[in-house]
């Protein structure tokens, strides 16, 4: 599993150089993360796209655990693009529970 976060450039040369992208890799999602996600699903009245603040914080903590603390929750909040967050959370959840969704344009027929 991979994630790309944006970090402020300490010495930007221009507007396009304000952030540096860093990609992190996790070889697998630990079983303790899956266990905690299962508990969260059982206790939550919300679906993935409608986490309350506490649920979102806990979910992001699980992401940090999966990536072996290569980045902090604060790094995640500051570096994850708003247009990618829903997609990433869904991907993370699906990978944790081995859910395979059909992508646009695929009908499943050969």
């Amino acid at each position: 599993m991979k994630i790309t976060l944006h970090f402020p450039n300490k010495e930007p040369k221009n507007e396009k150089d304000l952030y540096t992208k860093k990609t992190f890799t996790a070889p697998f999602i630990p079983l303790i993360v899956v266990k905690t996600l299962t508990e969260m699903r059982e206790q939550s009245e919300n679906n993935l796209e409608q986490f309350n603040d506490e649920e979102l914080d806990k979910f992001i903590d699980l992401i940090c655990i999966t990536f072996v603390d290569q980045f902090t929750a604060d790094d995640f909040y500051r570096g994850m693009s708003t247009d990618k967050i829903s997609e990433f959370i869904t991907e993370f959840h699906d990978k944790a529970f081995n859910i395979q969704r059909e992508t646009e344009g695929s009908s499943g027929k050969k």
Side-chain angles (χ1 to χ4, degrees):
M1 169 148 248
K2 290 184 180 184
I3 184 172
T4 300
L5 300 176
H6 298 80
F7 292 87
N9 226 342
K10 302 234 189 276
E11 298 177 23
K13 295 175 179 55
N14 56 47
E15 277 187 29
K16 293 181 181 179
D17 194 31
L18 291 175
Y19 290 91
T20 300
K21 290 182 185 179
K22 290 187 182 180
T23 300
F24 303 92
T25 304
F28 65 95
I29 297 177
L31 190 54
I32 189 68
V33 170
V34 177
K35 181 180 184 279
T36 305
L37 283 172
T38 301
E39 292 167 358
M40 284 177 65
R41 283 190 348 182
E42 291 171 355
Q43 295 169 0
S44 177
E45 296 176 6
N46 298 318
N47 63 30
L48 285 177
E49 289 79 27
Q50 298 172 341
F51 281 139
N52 64 38
D53 287 346
E54 184 179 317
E55 291 167 334
L56 183 60
D57 285 345
K58 192 169 186 178
F59 195 92
I60 290 172
D61 285 343
L62 293 174
I63 291 169
C64 292
I65 289 168
T66 298
F67 284 86
V68 195
D69 296 322
Q70 296 177 67
F71 52 85
T72 65
D74 189 57
D75 291 336
F76 184 91
Y77 276 115
R78 293 176 184 273
M80 173 56 74
S81 174
T82 56
D83 63 335
K84 301 286 185 192
I85 184 70
S86 289
E87 178 185 335
F88 182 79
I89 285 176
T90 301
E91 177 187 347
F92 186 85
H93 172 272
D94 290 355
K95 193 160 276 229
F97 292 103
N98 200 25
I99 297 169
Q100 296 181 4
R101 298 177 192 263
E102 285 189 27
T103 57
E104 283 184 42
S106 69
S107 63
K109 297 180 183 177
K110 292 185 179 186

